[in-house]
Amino acid sequence: MGVLLRLIIGKPGQGSEKKNIVWNMIGSFLYALSSMVLSIAVVQIAGEDAGGIFTFAFSTFGQHMFMAAYFGIRPFQITDMERRYSFGDYLGLRRVTCLAAVLAAAGYVGIHDYTFEKGAVVFLMVLYKVIDALADTYEAEFQRTGRLYLTGKSNAFRTLLSVTVFLSALAAAKELVTASVLAVAAQILGFLLFDAAVIRRLPEVDWVSGAGKKWRLLKDNTLLFFSVILDFYIFSASKYAIENCMADRDLAVYGAIFMPTSVINLVAGFVIRPYLTKLSLSWETGRLSQYAKQIRQLAAIIAALTVLALGGAWLLGIPVLSLLYSNLSYALKSCRPALLLIILGGALNAFMNLFYYSLIIMKKQRLILLGYGLTALLAVLFSDGFVIWGGIFGGALIYVLLQAALTAVFALSAGMVFKKKKGEVG
């Protein structure tokens, strides 16, 4: 065990910038890839119905409960360089939010008339995702201490371990519940090896939680929490509607055409995030023309990527997805219009994130929460109706309309704040 930990941590001292970047990219890529690989594997090995159940359990409801357990704290933790809160404070609050997510999942499964298989898989995947959220606290502390490479290693090794165990069990038993149980066990083992054991070797980590600190931390992050919960609900409202109104195999088909959005979001993140420091500096120093120019540059890049993505989806989207999901090829043939809408919605989501970060830089979190609240209300009112009317196409259409509404609200809000600031600067 000691040898393994020394290999993971490396030489004494903080990690080099190159090592931090490389391992973070590896970890992020494998983590993003895992959802795609697992969804395809379940459809191909266990069938369409099992694929639909897994897609909802892992990528929709499980991920939503991850967001609840995550509580939006990570950005706050990694930027808390003054150590206003200790690792013990962050860990204490995260344990509470993880427990709340598990209890919420148990209640959700309890009130739905699911089969034993579906109820068990949904709850097990929530446990899997909640362990991810708990591990995130440790990984954020690695980053705060300048060891981002440990975050990347944890993401990479935990993902490889749990995915390998899940796929091996599924291939051997052809049974989703058994594979899910073993995946959760592997996730726990990965957390103990690559997070809990590693952080004990870092001398500067403060485990002491001050009196009342967890409550103050909770209040500091409440707006972020509601923002991430509403954001993911808006993103997933069409999936919830299809799960409510259609069969499990329809959810598998919708999950297949929805898959490219994860690639779009990953690429958009790589495009936008390097600019955030420059944008913040331009805004804080009052160089508003420079700020506007940088926003226009990012918008132009996203627009160009959107054109390429739509062209690629029109020509290759359905053939490639049919190759990956051969069991669903019969249903995917009629889904080209829905796929194009999903791609457009993913592009709008990238634009939305650009204006979201703009409002964060402008310190207008309340406007962000207002935008999410209004759009979430639209999602509640109209998502089921669109799916009842148009099936998978209706789900894709409401997805793109919700993303368009949220993008418009954030863009208008950012524009008004920019105009006001420009008037003040003169």
Side-chain angles (χ1 to χ4, degrees), residues 20 32 52 90 96 139 142 166 172 182 188 233 260 265 292 311 334 337 350 425:
N20 282 337
Y90 289 107
V96 173
E139 291 160 11
F142 295 155
F166 179 88
L182 293 175
I188 293 171
Y233 171 69
N265 290 337
S334 61
V425 171

Side-chain angles (χ1 to χ4, degrees), residues 266-286:
L266 190 65
V267 172
F270 283 130
V271 170
I272 295 171
R273 283 172 194 150
Y275 274 80
L276 293 180
T277 303
K278 297 176 183 177
L279 285 168
S280 298
L281 188 60
S282 297
W283 181 260
E284 290 170 6
T285 56

Side-chain angles (χ1 to χ4, degrees), residues 279 282-296 355 358-364 367 409-426:
L279 285 168
S282 297
W283 181 260
E284 290 170 6
T285 56
R287 290 180 291 169
L288 299 185
S289 59
Q290 181 71 14
Y291 180 86
K293 180 181 178 182
Q294 290 163 344
I295 292 292
R296 286 195 297 270
F355 296 117
S358 296
L359 290 168
I360 288 287
I361 290 168
M362 295 169 174
K363 296 179 172 58
K364 297 297 179 181
L367 287 176
V409 171
F410 282 179
L412 288 171
S413 298
M416 287 189 297
V417 175
F418 180 86
K419 187 175 181 180
K420 182 179 178 182
K421 174 98 168 182
K422 193 172 183 180
E424 292 172 353
V425 171

Side-chain angles (χ1 to χ4, degrees), residues 31 68 86 114 120 129 154 200 293 304 331 343 350 396 401 420:
Y31 186 83
S86 68
Y114 288 155
K129 290 289 188 175
S154 172
R200 293 283 179 184
K293 180 181 178 182
I343 296 294
L401 290 174
K420 182 179 178 182

